[in-house]
Amino acid sequence: MTDDPTANDAAAFSDLIGLEFTDIEEGYSRGELDVTDRLRNPHGVLHGAVAYAMADTGMGAALYPGLGADELCATIEVKISYLEPVSEGTLVCETTVTKRGRTVAYLESDVTVDGESIARATGSYSIFES
């Protein structure tokens, strides 16, 4: 195991749900995920945990490029509101860092399908020395 959180297995969880990032830069990330049978709940709609995972992972991806070489981050809290059920399509999660302090950052994610919001999330992340 390496001390570099971006190395080797850092994308293992994203791979499990099929989340791929198409853009990551300081303060912003964009990830996409296709709805598949294995991601649906017993009612035939996307399991809420998938949208949550997209937002949480997107928040880390948006924050990480702006961290110093000796800094790490960890989720303090993510709050999500589910706006519409989804049973098919490609989800897009766009995340922005809205405020970054010395020890805490605040972020927002919008999860959409075909340009329509299906979930919105806000989060706070701890920033600390490694």
Side-chain angles (χ1 to χ4, degrees):
M1 183 168 172
T2 178
D3 289 334
D4 182 354
T6 63
N8 58 36
D9 292 332
F13 179 76
S14 294
D15 291 344
L16 283 174
I17 61 172
L19 174 59
E20 294 184 21
F21 285 95
T22 58
D23 191 7
I24 296 176
E25 56 191 68
E26 185 174 341
Y28 175 82
S29 73
R30 183 179 195 276
E32 295 183 3
L33 177 147
D34 291 326
V35 176
T36 62
D37 286 340
R38 68 187 186 131
L39 300 178
R40 291 185 184 97
N41 67 22
H43 304 289
V45 297
L46 182 75
H47 194 289
V50 176
Y52 180 94
M54 288 184 77
D56 186 35
T57 306
M59 288 179 186
L63 182 57
Y64 195 81
L67 298 179
D70 64 339
E71 292 180 315
L72 295 175
C73 64
T75 307
I76 296 172
E77 174 189 40
V78 174
K79 180 179 179 178
I80 190 164
S81 295
Y82 300 99
L83 308 173
E84 296 286 335
V86 175
S87 58
E88 59 185 25
T90 299
L91 278 71
V92 175
C93 179
E94 292 188 274
T95 300
T96 56
V97 176
T98 58
K99 174 77 173 165
R100 191 222 159 147
R102 189 175 54 78
T103 60
V104 177
Y106 299 93
L107 303 98
E108 293 181 355
S109 292
D110 187 23
V111 182
T112 62
V113 174
D114 296 328
E116 182 177 338
S117 289
I118 61 100
R120 301 258 324 154
T122 58
S124 56
Y125 274 60
S126 175
I127 300 169
F128 54 92
E129 290 184 14
S130 57

